Amino acid sequence: MEKRVTFKGIWLPILLVLPQLVITVVFFFYPAGQAIWQSLFIPDPFGLSMQWVGLGNFEYLFSDPYYRASFVTTAVFSILVTVVSMGVALYLAVLADRLIKGSGVYRTLLIWPYAVAPAVAGVLWLFMFNTRVGVVAWYLGLLGYDWNHVLNEGEAMGLVVVASAWGRISYNFLFFLAGLQAIPKSVIEAAAIDGAHFWTRFRTIVFPLLSPTTFFLLVVNIIYAFFETFGVIHTITSGGPQQATTILVYKVFSDGFVGQDLGSSAAQSVVLLFLVSILTVVQFKFIERRVHY
Amino acid sequence: MATVTLRNVRKSFGKTDVIHGVDLEIADGEFIVIVGPSGCGKSTLLRMVAGLETVTSGEVEIGGRLVNKVEPMDRDIAMVFQNYALYPHMTVFDNMAYGLKIAKVPKSEIEDRVATAAKLLQLEEYLKRRPRELSGGQRQRVAMGRAIVRKPAVFLFDEPLSNLDAKLRVQMRLEIKALQRELGVTALYVTHDQVEAMTLADRMVVMNGGVADQVGKPLDVYADPRTEFVAGFIGSPPTNFLDTALLPGLSTAPSLGIRPEHLQIEDQGRLTATVSFAEALGAETLIHCRVAGGRQVTVRQDALHHIPAEGESVQLNWADADAMFFDANGRRV
Ligand SMILES: Nc1ncnc2c1ncn2[C@@H]1O[C@H](COP(=O)(O)OP(=O)(O)OP(=O)(O)O)[C@@H](O)[C@H]1O
Ligand SMILES: [Mg+2]
């Protein structure tokens, strides 16, 4: 039987969870409630009165081709960020796992990018790829490639993907490495004796045994790409060129704060709220049913 | 089926020497048990034969072929691990079929071989289960099955029974022996349990701190241990060791070893002892005594004999032929 800590009264437990509850209410439930409320109105240009429109904001939103384009942009961006950051992290984790000596150094070095704030990471990458002074752009120029993410939509997308994925590699790496090291060495050895070479072992034993970690990271990284990459996009492209990197979160900001269309912005927040709830439910369902080998 | 030869095999991990030169000739179809206390290098030796550890120096041959640089998969061996090392995400069938699938054995033959092995190991009902849905004994059998379907030349076992309860261990021990006889395959089996070693081995290797102290048939090793370590390790209860200073004129060697069953309590003996306590086990009785100088001595006698009371003073006697003398280095003289 699981051993549980039990409290005699009701007040101590309440006191203990109170700070977390207060934070959740003030910073999550209250704004979320407000967003839902506001999404049902259109304020006048001076913010003096609000006009009830029901689901009008949503109808307008989904008939807006720019908004639908932003969905596609978000999907492309999230998939790329997730695939790049998880792919590179897995590759590095496999390499570090094979190391016996000095893996501690690699691990420490690989964790550093995680400590860099997204906006700072954005500036860093922006600086390297700056069309005029960026060192990478300059080298690309030497090779005959004219880098210009300010004008080229594909290059802009590439740059924000790389800048966003970079910091995530550390996080994913740690989980993958832990997952790899949790696989008993003798299982790998048994497969080696059974005739499986490195790649076959990876495909048939290691990767399947890693799947709980992979799935967890998949959800976490998609959530990250959806919501936490705002700083990177804001510093590097500000959603441009021609909205090519305007993901849903960035559009909330640009429509609401820049375009001052608060009704639409609120409706977009509600859509995002809905998306994140789905992802969270998926994740919880998965953790509940998680297979323990 | 193959012979296995070790020639002056050594192993170091960095600066620590773990195996100090082991020589061993294993005949085709022979069952060899490597036995020794924890940390003496048994697993390391086995893993060098498997190819899971590199050989620092010396030669390992399987079937007359030098395999020092050969990958585990190309050595024609199969290994059963202490923790079974089953593939947790595969069914019992897939666990057994894994090696065959990789070797691109035709599907119908894979099914045949797995079915035969499953029948032999009474696993037919469990082929669709995953390892976590099996008992310890069944997992053990799957690990055996995975080894036999590949029809290797040499079986390697690293303490395969140590995670099982006592009763199952005895049963599986018999099954392993029967299986090895039936398949006629060469086997190298590591254990720290001397009863397992005595019952399974055609010949056993007693290891002590990275050295093979003695290699021989179990009863020969028992009757004629070459070192003090072997005399003390093989046999339960262990051999009694006495300081020859207590017995003037017997030998110049410092240590005398006598097995418990070779000591008798008699009216006229060579050594006086005080009875500490007696354990009546039914068919036999173990009488623990203390001799001058404080050493514990165990006498094993038939249940029919009189059992002396605690604290009683008794005389111990033995036949000259049963006395084993050891020099200061622990070698038999
Ligand atoms: N990878 C390694 N690196 C360094 N030392 C090791 C390594 N593997 C084993 N050793 C050392 O080698 C010695 C022999 O280890 P080994 O595992 O062969 O012992 P064993 O006889 O199998 O013991 P047990 O009965 O406990 O399994 C031990 O002292 C151990 O600490
Ligand atoms: Mg061992």
Side-chain angles (χ1 to χ4, degrees):
Chain A
M1 274 300 288
E2 202 177 334
K3 209 171 166 183
R4 280 173 193 276
V5 182
T6 50
F7 292 100
K8 282 215 187 72
I10 182 78
W11 291 110
L12 181 62
I14 286 187
L15 192 71
L16 290 176
V17 294
L18 199 58
Q20 181 64 51
L21 278 181
V22 168
I23 288 173
T24 313
V25 168
V26 170
F27 291 103
F28 182 73
F29 283 111
Y30 176 68
Q34 265 215 325
I36 293 173
W37 181 246
Q38 280 182 0
S39 69
L40 305 175
F41 292 89
I42 298 180
D44 72 61
F46 304 103
L48 296 175
S49 66
M50 306 236 280
Q51 192 198 339
W52 170 264
V53 291
L55 293 176
N57 279 325
F58 291 95
E59 274 168 34
Y60 176 73
L61 202 57
F62 283 103
S63 61
D64 177 7
Y66 283 114
Y67 190 64
R68 278 183 276 158
S70 174
F71 255 96
V72 177
T73 309
T74 308
V76 171
F77 174 76
S78 310
I79 290 171
L80 286 177
V81 168
T82 305
V83 168
V84 169
S85 64
M86 285 178 66
V88 175
L90 180 58
Y91 178 72
L92 292 173
V94 168
L95 291 187
D97 186 44
R98 295 179 78 185
L99 274 183
I100 300 161
K101 271 188 219 153
S103 65
V105 178
Y106 287 87
R107 219 173 304 168
T108 313
L109 288 177
L110 279 167
I111 291 163
W112 281 356
Y114 188 51
V116 177
V120 178
V123 172
L124 214 69
W125 285 89
L126 181 61
F127 203 62
M128 284 194 288
F129 281 88
N130 186 296
T131 40
R132 260 163 291 148
V133 298
V135 62
V136 180
W138 187 72
Y139 273 113
L140 284 173
L142 285 188
L143 294 174
Y145 189 87
D146 186 18
W147 176 270
N148 194 341
H149 66 263
V150 183
L151 295 178
N152 185 314
E153 300 184 357
E155 287 172 9
M157 178 57 96
L159 189 55
V160 288
V161 165
V162 169
S164 307
W166 177 66
R168 275 323 266 194
I169 292 173
S170 309
Y171 180 89
N172 296 343
F173 169 80
L174 283 184
F175 275 87
F176 275 133
L177 188 64
L180 286 173
Q181 292 186 336
I183 299 175
K185 213 172 138 230
S186 55
V187 171
I188 307 293
E189 289 173 344
I193 291 177
D194 264 346
H197 288 276
F198 183 80
W199 176 239
T200 315
R201 288 203 296 271
F202 184 81
R203 203 167 41 80
T204 57
I205 309 280
V206 176
F207 196 70
L209 291 184
L210 217 49
S211 62
T213 308
T214 310
F215 191 84
F216 165 79
L217 286 178
L218 207 61
V219 176
V220 170
N221 279 288
I222 288 175
I223 291 180
Y224 163 82
F226 263 50
F227 299 100
E228 286 168 52
T229 48
F230 175 84
V232 173
I233 291 180
H234 192 48
T235 46
I236 297 185
T237 63
S238 300
Q242 279 95 43
Q243 303 222 9
T245 56
T246 301
I247 62 167
L248 290 170
V249 168
Y250 198 79
K251 199 163 165 56
V252 172
F253 165 79
S254 62
D255 286 359
F257 287 83
V258 183
Q260 288 293 309
D261 186 353
L262 290 183
S264 167
S265 173
Q268 292 181 29
S269 308
V270 173
V271 172
L272 282 177
L273 202 65
F274 181 68
L275 285 178
V276 81
S277 333
I278 292 179
L279 283 172
T280 314
V281 168
V282 168
Q283 189 174 349
F284 273 113
K285 279 273 174 235
F286 162 72
I287 288 171
E288 262 170 35
R289 247 185 266 150
R290 183 166 186 167
V291 231
H292 290 286
Y293 291 122
Chain B
M1 271 129 278
T3 58
V4 178
T5 309
L6 307 185
R7 258 184 236 110
N8 196 17
V9 168
R10 289 167 191 274
K11 176 72 187 177
S12 321
F13 291 107
K15 288 203 176 61
T16 356
D17 295 335
V18 174
I19 305 286
H20 307 283
V22 170
D23 288 285
L24 190 59
E25 291 266 354
I26 305 174
D28 190 10
E30 201 175 15
F31 201 123
I32 295 281
V33 177
I34 302 174
V35 64
S38 187
C40 70
K42 308 179 296 286
S43 298
T44 307
L45 194 63
L46 192 75
R47 291 167 58 82
M48 284 195 284
V49 176
L52 298 172
E53 301 281 1
T54 56
V55 179
T56 306
S57 76
E59 290 177 343
V60 178
E61 278 180 9
I62 296 177
R65 178 172 67 126
L66 184 68
V67 293
N68 281 32
K69 295 255 154 30
V70 177
E71 291 288 318
M73 57 195 74
D74 302 320
R75 292 190 179 200
D76 204 8
I77 51 148
M79 184 156 166
V80 178
F81 293 82
Q82 179 171 358
N83 65 357
Y84 316 136
L86 300 178
Y87 310 127
H89 56 302
M90 296 184 194
T91 61
V92 168
F93 179 91
D94 288 332
N95 261 279
M96 294 206 259
Y98 185 73
L100 299 177
K101 280 182 189 161
I102 286 174
K104 300 220 162 57
V105 173
K107 210 168 169 213
S108 58
E109 194 187 334
I110 294 181
E111 274 163 17
D112 274 1
R113 285 215 223 165
V114 173
T116 313
K119 189 151 182 247
L120 201 62
L121 295 160
Q122 296 145 41
L123 281 171
E124 287 149 304
E125 300 162 47
Y126 308 108
L127 284 175
K128 289 208 168 58
R129 295 216 197 158
R130 308 251 157 138
R132 69 169 177 280
E133 299 157 342
L134 299 177
S135 73
Q138 290 160 347
R139 286 180 207 183
Q140 220 289 322
R141 286 204 181 91
V142 177
M144 298 274 299
R146 191 170 63 179
I148 60 181
V149 290
R150 289 182 38 230
K151 301 189 175 159
V154 182
F155 267 170
L156 305 174
F157 300 89
D158 191 355
E159 312 213 18
L161 305 182
S162 59
N163 285 345
L164 302 180
D165 67 47
K167 204 171 158 197
L168 205 52
R169 198 147 52 199
V170 173
Q171 185 193 336
M172 286 306 296
R173 196 167 79 201
L174 295 172
E175 286 185 22
I176 287 180
K177 182 78 180 174
L179 209 59
Q180 187 264 349
R181 282 271 175 281
E182 192 171 323
L183 302 171
V185 66
T186 312
L188 200 54
Y189 185 109
V190 161
T191 179
H192 61 260
D193 178 356
Q194 49 120 357
V195 178
E196 247 171 56
M198 295 288 292
T199 49
L200 282 173
D202 290 329
R203 280 191 304 149
M204 65 186 197
V205 179
V206 187
M207 297 253 319
N208 176 24
V211 175
D213 258 19
Q214 189 167 359
V215 181
K217 294 201 174 106
L219 288 180
D220 292 348
V221 173
Y222 185 85
D224 190 18
R226 297 320 304 160
T227 68
E228 196 165 355
F229 171 81
V230 175
F233 190 76
I234 303 295
S236 171
T239 301
N240 301 300
F241 292 103
L242 295 168
D243 198 341
T244 46
L246 290 176
L247 303 152
L250 202 58
S251 169
T252 52
S255 179
L256 163 64
I258 308 170
R259 294 215 177 264
E261 63 269 32
H262 294 148
L263 281 177
Q264 295 97 37
I265 294 174
E266 289 179 356
D267 297 339
Q268 280 298 310
R270 309 194 199 200
L271 190 65
T272 310
T274 314
V275 176
S276 308
F277 62 99
E279 292 175 290
L281 301 176
E284 61 185 27
T285 308
L286 302 180
I287 300 160
H288 302 276
C289 325
R290 198 171 286 279
V291 298
R295 290 232 199 173
Q296 276 283 353
V297 167
T298 306
V299 180
R300 176 191 230 156
Q301 65 177 25
D302 205 90
L304 300 172
H305 282 73
H306 164 73
I307 302 173
E310 268 173 45
E312 195 178 314
S313 185
V314 293
Q315 293 286 309
L316 302 180
N317 207 358
W318 60 87
D320 283 334
D322 294 328
M324 306 180 282
F325 294 100
F326 300 96
D327 68 17
N329 297 323
R331 303 231 147 262
R332 183 83 175 272
V333 291

